[in-house]
Amino acid sequence: MGGFSAASAAERCAVGIHASPSSPASRPRSQLQEQPAPPVRRGSRRLAAPLAVSRRSILVPRAVAASTDRASPEVVGRFNLESNSELQVTLNPAPQGAIAEINLEATNTSGSLVLHWGALRPDRGEWLLLSRRPDGTTTFKNQALRTPFVKSGDNSTLIVEIDDPAVQAIEFLLFDEARNKCTLLWTEDLVQIQSYLRWERSGKQSYTPDQEKVEYEAARAELIEELNRGVPLGKLRARLTKTPESSERDAPASQTTTTKVPEELVQVQSYIRWEKAGKPNYSPEKQLVEFEEARKELQAELDKGTSIDQLRKKILKGNIEKKVSKQLENKKYFSVERIQRRNRDITQLLNKHKPGVTKEQVQAAPKQPTVLDLFTKSLQEGDDCDVLSRKLFKFGDKEILAIATKALGKTRVHLATNDLDPLILHWALAKKAGEWEAPPSSIAPSGSTLLEKACATSFVESELDGLQYQVVEIELDDDGYKGMPFVLRRGETWIKNSDSDFYLDFKTKVTKKANAIDTGDAGKGTAKAFLERIADLEEDAQRSFMHRFNIAADLVDQARDAGLLGIVGLFVWIRFMSTRQLIWNKNYNVKPREISKAQDRFTDDLENMYKSYPQYREILRMILSAVGRGGEGDVGQRIRDEILVIQRNNDCKGGMMEEWHQKLHNNTSPDDVVICQAIIDYIKSDFDISVYWDTLNKNGINKERLLSYDRAIHSEPKFRSDQKEGLLRDLGNYMRSLKAVHSGADLESAIATCMGYKSEGEGFMVGVQINPVKGLSSGFPELLQFVLDHVEDKSAEPLLEGLLEARVELRPLLIESSERLKDLIFLDIALDSTFRTAVERSYEELNDAAPEKIMYFIGLVLENLALSTDDNEDILYCLKGWNQAMEMVKRKDDQWALYAKACLDRTRLALASKGEQYYNMMQPSAEYLGSLLNVDEWAVDIFTEEIIRGGSAATLSALLNRFDPVLRNVAHLGSWQVISPVEVTGYVVVVDKLLSVQNKSYDKPTILVAKSVKGEEEIPDGVVGVITPDMPDVLSHVSVRARNCKVLFATCFDPNTLSELQGHEGKVFSFKTTSADVTYREITESELMQSSSANAQAGEAIPSLSLVKKKFLGKYAISAEDFTEEMVGAKSRNIAYLKGKVPSWVGIPTSVAIPFGTFEKVLSDDTNKEVAQNIQMLKGRLAQDDFSALGEMRKTVLDLTAPAQLVTELKEKMLSSGMPWPGDESDQRWEQAWMAIKKVWASKWNERAYFSTRKVKLDHDYLSMAVLVQEIVNADYAFVIHTTNPSSGDSSEIYAEVVKGLGETLVGAYPGRAMSFVCKKDDLDSPKVLGYPSKPIGLFIKRSIIFRSDSNGEDLEGYAGAGLYDSVPMDEEDQVVLDYTSDTLITDSGFRSSIFSSIARAGHAIEELYGSPQDVEGAVKDGKIYVVQTRPQM
């Protein structure tokens, strides 16, 4: 309702003259206490009675009389008035013909209490004003009697005598004359309704608690005024509740005595109604209506002749009484209970198992080929040899390979085996399936024996590469044969293919692998040999699920040995199976228990790997989810037995049910779960056959699939109405057996397996006893029951909390090698699946939700994702960030939306990283195995996409997309961030990655819409604008390059806008910008020509620049005082210039340099002749535009040997400058330093740098590379300053970006945004945060040396060459996943302001020193500012 938190109502009091079990007034005190008191509006000055549940209804419950011979007094009611005041009503029943007494005693009251009352008779609808009245009684407007209480000490008493035997009850209210206040025991419901009507009339405005109080009392006053005007109570109630005055409640009591609905049943019925509605949140007014609707429904049943006992039996099913009593106990109606989540440190959920793919795994040669591999290869290498068909069979631990080939016009059959025992091939030919026809003698191999319908041929021993095998080769006469059946005989033992003959089909479609053992890129990034092994076994696997799961179990060890890619290959195969891309059954009958036994064997092997290889758990969960649980013995047999029970119990032995029965007996499959559900839905819909087909079709089953089964289902279900109840009961029980075998993610069966089965239902689960899993916490069963009770709730939040709490409780057992681990894994899979479904169901609930609720949901989904992820550190820190954002909202921090936007951006990066990991890990295997198995191309193309879409990551992405515009609106961010504001016109071109087109030249002005921009790319020639959803740093290389080249560069946050622009590909558009927004419109090509002058500067290559060739001036190393233009680049000179000139609180690191010409000098040394020759050769290839030489060039530079003089001079300069010499630690440490120096030199041939110099027509040979050597500042933070705001061009404003750790994450292509701020130069103490950080990774390093590139081509006027070449630390940085919630820069605004102000002051001081805008890089360590380089701002 929004305006009121007011509660449900108390009732007026009715006291029966004779005791009656059905009367609320006659209930014992204990019964009244079991019922919850209706909540009342707190803070109001009124009295209220906590009566029974029936008091909540709109119609007043009638207390009626029943004949009795008892004459002893009985307390028939106690009613709370105010605080410590209570009214007790005692009835002294009237013997036949005598006077009945009603004693009323009110404790702790004033002396002005009045009883407002009347009597009830069955022949009257209104109050009867009795002639026998207590002293002092007056008549009130001829409609009621008013009798004063007698004051006695602190209490007030009154005795009412009834001498009319027809009177069955009195009804009353209390009135305090001194306070002019009614103690409305009966009208709290009416006050509530009246207050609601007032609130509606006022426009449903939000009220403060004080306003609520005033409104509530105003509603009470209005009702009292109406009563005082003489409006009858019945009319007042009828008007407010819109019920007839002559309702059941106002009828004579005698007419309702035998048909009154017990109040406890009204409570149950109202709960059932609420549960069916999905447990929505009801306002107090709606609660009143629901109680009355429940009462009406039950009363209608009674009016039809249903007895109370029948009614009770009908609605009190299952644990409904327990559910209702729990609500009564908590005194909350129509409210979803919530579990109390335990407070935990989120980092306890940390997993750091990274399922990485090593280079060796990807590139390793297949295992040593078997003799059968060699045999296959020998055939395929033959001249013009085409493989017609190929089949590998297993028998025991041996194999036999059958291949039909055609070479030189001859068809041959080759059978080779690694079984070296004497074997005889018993074979024939077939022109149709199942036929055995003896071959003509002309084709029988030498030594064969012809039989009546077959031929016996001995295998001949042979050898390949020292490996022994046996072979038979048969040349056919091409007489229309379709295939070759055969069996083997070893001594007296006949060997068959399980229970069938071996059979080589000559017409089998050959996989794409045939005749092409290795096609270069085919299978790259996969466990290729393992996937080919799967392909060899697929035909055998198609016979039945039993065969497939047994083969899968045999492959588990091989998959494990192949590493992550082997496990992925196994998953891809099983996934193809589960999505019906592979044949499930081919002419093979198998018992359900044999399928479940094979499933059990396979899943047992997966369980064992799960225990021993935590880095594979995420993929193993996916495999288990696709397979199903399986089980030994009767688990599968129940499928076969229980369908017979259904048919017998429900007289449905023919038609569709018999066809389904035959399928189940022949070969049960996961389709049976869907078929069972479709039948249940059909019955529940009152036999609407369209519902049956709708359920089937939604789950991928159509009529053709039903007909494709070996035991086809032709008919539709058809039942009688009298079969409905029994079928629903029995099919519901049967579904449990089906899901126990086939469903890996079914919640109910997973819970039942872990909590223990009980025998239920006649003929179902007979004799089944599965004990609960040991080790579960004492409250875990109750937690799972909570989940089951709320799994269909419309309001998903309590369910989600319960699911997560269950998963967290389960987690320790999943990590340990617990007993029955497999059952626990399946339970966790089911909880995860149910969670995702519930979140998707709650989208509508979030449409108008407050930001806090959306953030809370995002946090829940993140936690669920973390629980399903092997390497979840980044996800957990995202979760901590969202929790911190919610805390900021609670304390009304005006930065909360800006901070939450950074959390959102980081979460998106985490999801993108996860998606990329999945794609790189799975898609190559899906493509290669899909090609081997001839899987539909569309299914292969979307393989990884479907995996991602079915997981929590997709659910989370949808939530983020909903929340992003909300945050941008609150934080006033708009839909754009303009990085380089330029007005441009051009043709729209859509590309996936800017990187993929950075070396391309466009021949007309082009505006790229690029889905991916990392930050290190070049702007292609001819491009005048780049629009992207990516978020490169404002100071990244590509951002600087865009501003330098006068190219529009902007991030678009609105996916709809981006999609619109992508839809305009090829059209001509004009873009205009401000510092915070972009507008665009389509224009004609003629307008483009007219505006071409506006593009003259934009996107054009910078005019040709020249470089001066640098020479070696005789020194291998120099100190800072020798930094001159002839010796080093601007980077070194600037750092030397700053020394002693910047304020003393700004640190400048000590530096030495390896000057220009040193590389060329080292290359000319005699020890490096071979390297020099190779580089000269590679330069020749580059001159011919063979750009593959660039990578080889970089590798070749790393082969250089350091001249002794270089080592000596560099050591001397470093030590004299106070820097440590790496070689003093060890020779190996010097080698590390030398390798770093060579990597800096090699970066001259980086692709990006090379093409950038070509673009501006710089002579690459003239590019010289000095190396600036500095001791690394082990930074807490690194920063880059632009002393003129680059986005707006405002020279009065400093712009800076800050990252945690080393600055490489800021200037390199590391994903995410840095923290950014601006600061006015005339107010350096007031920095303003523009954005919080979203970079997930920080780089940290111990004390070390960094070797920085310092070329003569980096800081040319009009050309931003900075960042093109590498700076290389001697030691590798540690990559740390960042937790910003513990970062003082984020959490302490005072510290943040101090650091940002100091950074801004340093930048301003350096700008004043140079007299021009500067691009400054620096670091913060223990609060001190260090500047490591500066250059003119481009």
Side-chain angles (χ1 to χ4, degrees):
M1 165 171 153
F4 288 98
S5 60
S8 300
E11 292 285 356
R12 59 177 169 170
C13 295
V15 178
I17 306 307
H18 307 282
S20 169
S22 63
S23 168
S26 69
R27 290 181 189 157
R29 176 70 170 169
S30 60
Q31 184 178 348
L32 286 172
Q33 287 180 323
E34 289 173 4
Q35 308 279 1
V40 298
R41 191 192 173 289
R42 292 179 175 83
S44 61
R45 289 179 50 83
R46 71 173 187 277
L47 306 176
L51 301 183
V53 169
S54 62
R55 302 294 186 243
R56 300 175 71 98
S57 67
I58 293 175
L59 293 179
V60 181
R62 184 71 58 221
V64 297
S67 61
T68 177
D69 294 329
R70 285 185 302 145
S72 58
E74 178 187 2
V75 176
V76 293
R78 285 191 178 90
F79 310 110
N80 289 332
L81 302 180
E82 271 187 323
S83 59
N84 63 342
S85 184
E86 180 186 70
L87 174 68
Q88 176 177 294
V89 182
T90 304
L91 171 66
N92 190 5
Q96 193 70 31
I99 296 173
E101 280 187 2
I102 301 173
N103 294 291
L104 300 98
E105 183 174 11
T107 61
N108 299 313
T109 62
S110 70
S112 56
L113 203 61
V114 173
L115 184 74
H116 183 96
W117 65 286
L120 301 176
R121 269 179 30 169
D123 58 342
R124 293 175 65 95
E126 298 177 350
W127 281 2
L128 174 66
L129 307 187
L130 298 176
S131 58
R132 190 181 185 94
R133 305 170 184 178
D135 291 344
T137 300
T138 58
T139 301
F140 181 74
K141 297 187 179 181
N142 292 321
Q143 293 177 349
L145 298 174
R146 282 192 169 179
T147 303
F149 278 72
V150 177
K151 182 70 174 174
S152 177
D154 291 334
N155 301 341
S156 298
T157 61
L158 179 64
I159 297 175
V160 177
E161 295 179 338
I162 308 295
D163 60 357
D164 185 347
V167 171
Q168 293 191 326
I170 70 165
E171 197 167 45
F172 62 88
L173 60 90
L174 301 184
F175 191 79
D176 189 341
E177 287 186 321
R179 294 157 63 186
N180 192 28
K181 179 173 179 181
C182 215
T183 304
L184 299 178
L185 295 174
W186 47 269
T187 57
E188 290 306 306
D189 59 331
L190 303 186
V191 175
Q192 178 68 59
I193 294 171
Q194 179 72 1
S195 64
Y196 180 83
L197 294 173
R198 286 174 56 87
W199 176 68
E200 265 193 336
R201 288 196 296 267
S202 70
K204 296 184 178 181
Q205 58 186 284
S206 295
Y207 288 150
T208 65
D210 287 341
Q211 287 174 317
E212 282 188 32
K213 178 180 175 181
V214 170
E215 279 296 308
Y216 203 88
E217 294 306 325
R220 182 193 305 281
E222 287 177 350
L223 294 182
I224 291 173
E225 184 180 348
E226 291 203 53
L227 288 173
N228 289 334
R229 287 203 308 267
V231 177
L233 178 66
K235 287 185 178 180
L236 187 60
R237 182 176 296 279
R239 176 172 63 77
L240 290 174
T241 61
K242 294 183 172 60
T243 56
E245 289 180 67
S246 58
S247 65
E248 172 199 342
R249 297 307 172 84
D250 293 321
S254 62
Q255 297 177 20
T256 63
T257 300
T258 59
T259 57
K260 178 176 168 56
V261 181
E263 293 303 319
E264 65 269 20
L265 296 188
V266 175
Q267 176 67 52
V268 171
Q269 182 67 7
S270 63
Y271 184 93
I272 292 171
R273 287 172 54 85
W274 177 61
E275 201 170 46
K276 283 181 179 177
K279 298 180 182 176
N281 292 320
Y282 284 156
S283 67
E285 296 70 36
K286 178 62 174 173
Q287 293 179 27
L288 295 172
V289 172
E290 279 297 306
F291 271 112
E292 194 53 39
E293 289 302 317
R295 187 188 306 279
K296 287 179 181 177
E297 288 177 351
L298 296 182
Q299 190 64 54
E301 291 285 322
L302 293 180
D303 292 346
K304 292 177 185 175
T306 304
S307 70
I308 294 289
D309 286 341
Q310 289 172 325
L311 198 59
R312 191 182 304 276
K313 184 177 180 181
K314 180 178 179 181
I315 69 173
L316 295 182
K317 293 181 179 178
N319 63 346
I320 187 71
E321 280 187 290
K322 183 178 178 182
K323 293 178 182 178
V324 174
S325 67
K326 202 164 188 179
Q327 287 210 339
L328 302 183
E329 180 184 334
N330 296 334
K331 299 186 178 181
K332 289 182 178 179
Y333 303 108
F334 302 114
S335 62
V336 178
E337 57 182 327
R338 301 178 87 125
I339 54 100
Q340 185 64 43
R341 295 209 65 189
R342 290 170 55 191
N343 289 325
R344 298 180 179 88
D345 180 359
I346 289 173
T347 55
Q348 291 178 355
L349 306 181
L350 180 65
N351 290 328
K352 295 185 77 168
H353 305 298
K354 296 189 178 182
V357 181
T358 67
K359 188 175 181 182
E360 290 72 23
Q361 285 176 339
V362 175
Q363 296 183 346
K367 283 186 173 182
Q368 188 68 27
T370 67
V371 67
L372 298 184
D373 293 332
L374 295 173
F375 179 75
T376 302
K377 185 177 180 182
S378 68
L379 293 179
Q380 291 176 327
E381 288 177 345
D383 293 338
D384 299 322
C385 178
D386 291 328
V387 175
L388 302 178
S389 60
R390 181 180 185 275
K391 188 73 169 67
L392 182 71
F393 302 97
K394 289 177 66 72
F395 57 98
D397 60 347
K398 304 298 182 183
E399 296 174 328
I400 184 167
L401 177 67
I403 301 180
T405 65
K406 193 156 192 173
L408 303 176
K410 298 288 185 179
T411 301
R412 290 183 174 84
V413 176
H414 313 263
L415 296 106
T417 178
N418 55 5
D419 188 338
L420 301 182
D421 290 337
L423 282 179
I424 293 176
L425 177 71
H426 191 83
W427 62 283
L429 295 172
K431 293 185 178 178
K432 60 182 180 180
E435 182 179 59
W436 276 70
E437 181 181 316
S441 57
S442 60
I443 69 170
S446 176
S448 298
T449 302
L450 282 172
L451 307 172
E452 182 179 354
K453 288 190 175 182
C455 179
T457 304
S458 296
F459 278 82
V460 177
E461 293 183 358
S462 190
E463 179 182 319
L464 272 172
D465 291 357
L467 299 176
Q468 304 294 318
Y469 69 104
Q470 296 194 90
V471 66
V472 170
E473 295 191 359
I474 303 165
E475 185 174 309
L476 303 181
D477 57 6
D478 296 327
D479 195 20
Y481 298 114
K482 303 295 184 185
M484 180 178 137
F486 63 93
V487 294
L488 305 174
R489 183 160 60 87
R490 184 193 296 124
E492 298 302 317
T493 302
W494 289 94
I495 301 171
K496 303 182 74 175
N497 186 24
S498 296
D499 297 327
S500 305
D501 299 334
F502 296 104
Y503 186 78
L504 178 63
D505 187 347
F506 298 159
K507 304 300 182 184
T508 297
K509 187 176 181 181
V510 182
T511 67
K512 298 175 185 179
K513 167 181 140 183
N515 298 325
I517 294 176
D518 191 349
T519 57
D521 286 341
K524 186 177 180 181
T526 73
K528 186 176 181 183
F530 178 67
L531 297 184
E532 291 174 351
R533 177 68 176 159
I534 289 175
D536 287 339
L537 297 170
E538 172 57 27
E539 188 172 344
D540 196 34
Q542 291 177 359
R543 297 168 71 187
S544 73
F545 276 121
M546 178 192 73
H547 291 83
R548 187 176 296 280
F549 293 139
N550 278 327
I551 290 170
D554 291 339
L555 290 172
V556 166
D557 287 346
Q558 297 175 49
R560 181 199 60 221
D561 292 344
L564 175 64
L565 294 178
I567 309 297
V568 168
L570 186 62
F571 165 64
V572 169
W573 183 47
I574 294 299
R575 173 78 180 184
F576 280 150
M577 176 272 295
S578 69
T579 54
R580 303 189 180 98
Q581 292 302 313
L582 304 176
I583 295 171
W584 284 5
N585 178 254
K586 189 191 289 183
N587 301 316
Y588 195 91
N589 294 346
V590 60
K591 299 180 179 68
R593 67 169 175 265
E594 293 171 335
I595 295 176
S596 64
K597 183 177 179 180
Q599 269 179 294
D600 203 46
R601 179 187 167 216
F602 179 35
T603 53
D604 279 348
D605 289 342
L606 296 174
E607 175 191 37
N608 291 332
M609 195 190 304
Y610 188 98
K611 292 177 182 177
S612 304
Y613 296 87
Q615 68 270 33
Y616 300 149
R617 285 177 179 167
E618 194 171 332
I619 304 298
L620 292 171
R621 284 167 56 92
M622 294 181 185
I623 301 175
L624 285 164
S625 181
V627 171
R629 185 179 297 104
E632 277 277 9
D634 71 323
V635 176
Q637 185 60 29
R638 288 204 307 272
I639 290 177
R640 198 166 186 172
D641 295 342
E642 291 173 3
I643 187 64
L644 295 172
V645 174
I646 294 174
Q647 291 181 289
R648 182 180 66 246
N649 286 354
N650 299 281
D651 187 26
C652 53
K653 297 181 180 178
M656 180 267 171
M657 290 297 285
E658 180 57 28
E659 292 169 353
W660 187 33
H661 162 219
Q662 292 302 321
K663 178 204 177 299
L664 290 161
H665 272 236
N666 178 60
N667 210 319
T668 183
S669 71
D671 280 4
D672 294 314
V673 176
V674 179
I675 293 170
C676 186
Q677 188 61 55
I679 298 172
I680 290 172
D681 292 347
Y682 158 69
I683 296 170
K684 284 183 175 179
S685 70
D686 285 332
F687 310 109
D688 182 348
I689 197 63
S690 66
V691 173
Y692 168 78
W693 286 110
D694 187 51
T695 300
L696 290 179
N697 293 336
K698 283 179 179 176
N699 290 276
I701 299 177
N702 54 23
K703 187 172 292 186
E704 290 71 27
R705 185 163 183 85
L706 294 176
L707 294 173
S708 73
Y709 302 138
D710 287 347
R711 296 291 187 273
I713 297 177
H714 300 271
S715 308
E716 294 178 336
K718 189 173 183 180
F719 304 112
R720 305 185 307 272
S721 59
D722 62 301
Q723 296 172 300
K724 180 175 182 177
E725 187 172 341
L727 280 169
L728 287 176
R729 178 194 65 236
D730 290 351
L731 286 168
N733 286 327
Y734 190 51
M735 181 69 90
R736 176 181 292 176
S737 295
L738 289 171
K739 287 181 175 179
V741 173
H742 295 303
S743 179
D746 177 65
L747 182 64
E748 190 173 356
S749 63
I751 289 177
T753 301
C754 290
M755 294 297 100
Y757 274 144
K758 297 177 183 177
S759 296
E760 290 183 20
E762 183 182 349
F764 295 91
M765 314 295 289
V766 175
V768 175
Q769 185 62 46
I770 297 181
N771 295 321
V773 174
K774 295 178 182 178
L776 298 170
S777 64
S778 59
F780 197 64
E782 185 179 350
L783 184 56
L784 293 181
Q785 188 59 52
F786 173 90
V787 167
L788 287 176
D789 288 346
H790 296 83
V791 76
E792 298 295 336
D793 289 3
K794 276 188 177 179
S795 180
E797 195 172 311
L799 171 64
L800 297 177
E801 293 169 342
L803 288 163
L804 280 180
E805 189 66 15
R807 293 197 69 192
V808 174
E809 288 278 325
L810 205 55
R811 184 175 179 272
L813 296 177
L814 295 173
I815 294 173
E816 302 160 7
S817 296
S818 307
E819 180 186 350
R820 289 174 59 189
L821 176 61
K822 181 172 68 174
D823 290 335
L824 296 174
I825 297 170
F826 276 116
L827 174 57
D828 191 54
I829 289 170
L831 292 168
D832 179 26
S833 176
T834 306
F835 184 96
R836 296 195 305 269
T837 302
V839 171
E840 289 163 7
R841 191 172 71 238
S842 68
Y843 284 161
E844 184 178 343
E845 181 184 344
L846 297 177
N847 281 342
D848 300 314
E852 302 96 299
K853 181 162 187 174
I854 301 176
M855 287 195 287
Y856 183 63
F857 263 76
I858 289 171
L860 294 176
V861 180
L862 265 171
E863 185 177 351
N864 190 62
L865 179 60
L867 288 166
S868 304
T869 304
D870 285 341
D871 180 22
N872 64 8
E873 190 173 14
D874 189 21
I875 293 169
L876 287 180
Y877 290 152
C878 288
L879 174 56
K880 290 185 73 175
W882 284 107
N883 290 343
Q884 188 173 41
M886 284 188 282
E887 288 300 317
M888 292 172 73
V889 174
K890 288 178 184 175
R891 61 176 185 260
K892 297 184 170 27
D893 189 324
D894 59 6
Q895 296 276 297
W896 77 264
L898 207 57
Y899 180 75
K901 181 65 170 75
C903 295
L904 186 145
D905 293 341
R906 178 173 180 175
T907 307
R908 273 185 170 157
L909 286 171
L911 296 183
S913 175
K914 190 73 180 169
E916 189 175 357
Q917 177 200 1
Y918 272 17
Y919 191 88
N920 294 336
M921 186 169 61
M922 297 177 183
Q923 195 61 27
S925 293
E927 291 173 359
Y928 189 57
L929 186 60
S931 72
L932 297 180
L933 302 181
N934 298 297
V935 172
D936 289 341
E937 189 173 341
W938 66 265
V940 171
D941 291 343
I942 66 170
F943 183 87
T944 306
E945 180 184 337
E946 287 297 302
I947 299 297
I948 296 170
R949 190 176 294 165
S952 290
T955 308
L956 181 55
S957 180
L959 282 175
L960 297 178
N961 289 340
R962 282 168 170 259
F963 197 38
D964 192 8
V966 175
L967 284 181
R968 285 191 279 106
N969 181 52
V970 175
H972 308 293
L973 293 176
S975 298
W976 295 87
Q977 181 177 25
V978 182
I979 298 170
S980 175
V982 182
E983 183 177 331
V984 298
T985 55
Y987 292 86
V988 175
V989 174
V990 179
V991 298
D992 279 332
K993 298 179 180 180
L994 181 59
L995 184 66
S996 65
V997 296
Q998 68 173 349
N999 300 325
K1000 185 174 180 179
S1001 291
Y1002 291 89
D1003 57 5
K1004 52 188 178 182
T1006 298
I1007 300 167
L1008 293 179
V1009 180
K1011 297 175 185 175
S1012 171
V1013 177
K1014 297 303 181 188
E1016 284 200 324
E1017 300 90 340
E1018 286 294 315
I1019 304 291
D1021 285 345
V1023 168
V1024 297
V1026 177
I1027 307 295
T1028 180
D1030 253 346
M1031 298 172 290
D1033 290 313
V1034 173
L1035 303 184
S1036 65
H1037 173 80
V1038 71
S1039 302
V1040 173
R1041 176 69 71 220
R1043 290 190 291 269
N1044 185 228
C1045 297
K1046 302 295 187 292
V1047 169
L1048 165 66
F1049 187 31
T1051 294
C1052 178
F1053 296 115
D1054 187 341
N1056 295 324
T1057 300
L1058 198 70
S1059 179
E1060 179 191 345
L1061 287 173
Q1062 290 168 339
H1064 291 304
E1065 183 166 23
K1067 297 178 181 177
V1068 184
F1069 268 73
S1070 169
F1071 284 77
K1072 293 184 178 181
T1073 67
T1074 66
S1075 61
D1077 197 16
V1078 175
T1079 59
Y1080 55 89
R1081 65 183 180 89
E1082 187 176 357
I1083 62 173
T1084 63
E1085 291 196 350
S1086 60
E1087 287 179 278
L1088 172 66
M1089 297 300 293
Q1090 293 171 7
S1091 64
S1092 60
S1093 59
N1095 286 341
Q1097 300 293 321
E1100 292 185 359
I1102 297 170
S1104 296
L1105 303 170
S1106 61
L1107 292 174
V1108 177
K1109 190 174 181 67
K1110 300 295 184 180
K1111 299 178 181 179
F1112 181 69
L1113 298 180
K1115 293 182 179 181
Y1116 285 100
I1118 57 175
S1119 52
E1121 54 268 21
D1122 295 323
F1123 289 180
T1124 63
E1125 190 173 356
E1126 290 75 25
M1127 301 290 279
V1128 292
K1131 188 181 297 182
S1132 299
R1133 298 198 307 275
N1134 285 334
I1135 207 69
Y1137 178 73
L1138 291 177
K1139 197 85 169 177
K1141 296 184 178 65
V1142 294
S1144 59
W1145 50 268
V1146 177
I1148 305 294
T1150 301
S1151 306
V1152 300
I1154 300 171
F1156 290 139
T1158 305
F1159 167 72
E1160 290 77 10
K1161 178 65 175 176
V1162 171
L1163 188 62
S1164 67
D1165 192 271
D1166 289 345
T1167 58
N1168 293 311
K1169 275 186 179 179
E1170 186 176 345
V1171 176
Q1173 290 171 358
N1174 290 337
I1175 285 180
Q1176 199 60 38
M1177 179 269 293
L1178 291 169
K1179 284 184 176 180
R1181 285 172 52 188
L1182 272 178
Q1184 301 299 316
D1185 289 344
D1186 179 1
F1187 302 125
S1188 65
L1190 288 168
E1192 296 179 52
M1193 186 80 81
R1194 294 194 297 274
K1195 289 180 182 178
T1196 303
V1197 171
L1198 302 185
D1199 293 332
L1200 287 170
T1201 301
Q1205 187 64 24
L1206 182 149
V1207 179
T1208 301
E1209 290 188 25
L1210 183 58
K1211 177 180 179 179
E1212 187 272 324
K1213 291 299 181 185
M1214 289 180 68
L1215 289 174
S1216 63
S1217 299
M1219 299 171 67
W1221 170 246
D1224 286 344
E1225 296 180 54
S1226 66
D1227 291 341
Q1228 185 265 337
R1229 293 288 289 162
W1230 158 246
E1231 288 301 326
Q1232 281 181 249
W1234 175 235
M1235 181 57 69
I1237 293 167
K1238 291 186 288 185
K1239 286 181 178 178
V1240 175
W1241 285 337
S1243 68
K1244 174 179 176 179
W1245 287 279
N1246 284 345
E1247 279 82 0
R1248 187 161 57 89
Y1250 182 79
F1251 289 114
S1252 180
T1253 55
R1254 278 171 56 104
K1255 183 176 180 179
V1256 295
K1257 299 180 175 59
L1258 284 173
D1259 188 334
H1260 194 259
D1261 279 342
Y1262 277 33
L1263 188 94
S1264 294
M1265 186 73 71
V1267 181
L1268 177 62
V1269 184
Q1270 292 177 324
E1271 192 170 1
I1272 287 180
V1273 177
N1274 187 10
D1276 299 323
Y1277 306 100
F1279 59 81
V1280 173
I1281 307 168
H1282 276 198
T1283 58
T1284 290
N1285 189 326
S1287 296
S1288 63
D1290 186 352
S1291 61
S1292 71
E1293 191 171 65
I1294 290 172
Y1295 175 89
E1297 293 182 340
V1298 183
V1299 295
K1300 197 168 175 63
L1302 300 179
E1304 182 58 24
T1305 59
L1306 182 53
V1307 298
Y1310 284 79
R1313 280 274 176 87
M1315 194 168 190
S1316 57
F1317 71 93
V1318 291
C1319 195
K1320 290 293 185 181
K1321 293 174 184 176
D1322 59 1
D1323 189 8
L1324 293 171
D1325 288 327
S1326 303
K1328 178 186 176 183
V1329 175
L1330 296 183
Y1332 284 88
S1334 61
K1335 287 185 181 289
I1337 297 296
L1339 298 179
F1340 297 86
I1341 200 169
K1342 60 184 180 181
R1343 186 182 184 192
S1344 187
I1345 304 295
I1346 188 167
F1347 300 90
R1348 299 183 184 275
S1349 60
D1350 189 25
S1351 75
N1352 61 340
E1354 289 187 47
D1355 292 309
L1356 302 173
E1357 186 175 354
Y1359 173 62
L1364 292 174
Y1365 308 101
D1366 296 344
S1367 295
V1368 183
M1370 190 177 84
D1371 298 284
E1372 190 172 345
E1373 306 99 327
D1374 293 324
Q1375 285 200 4
V1376 176
V1377 182
L1378 297 175
D1379 177 8
Y1380 290 112
T1381 63
S1382 59
D1383 184 356
T1384 315
L1385 198 66
I1386 306 298
T1387 61
D1388 187 336
S1389 60
F1391 175 78
R1392 178 171 63 242
S1393 181
S1394 172
I1395 292 295
F1396 285 1
S1397 180
S1398 296
I1399 291 172
R1401 288 180 188 280
H1404 186 48
I1406 292 171
E1407 181 184 52
E1408 289 195 325
L1409 186 63
Y1410 281 91
S1412 63
Q1414 292 292 297
D1415 174 353
V1416 183
E1417 293 182 24
V1420 181
K1421 176 66 176 175
D1422 297 330
K1424 183 176 175 61
I1425 306 297
Y1426 294 84
V1427 171
V1428 298
Q1429 68 181 62
T1430 186
R1431 62 173 67 90
Q1433 179 178 331
M1434 294 293 178

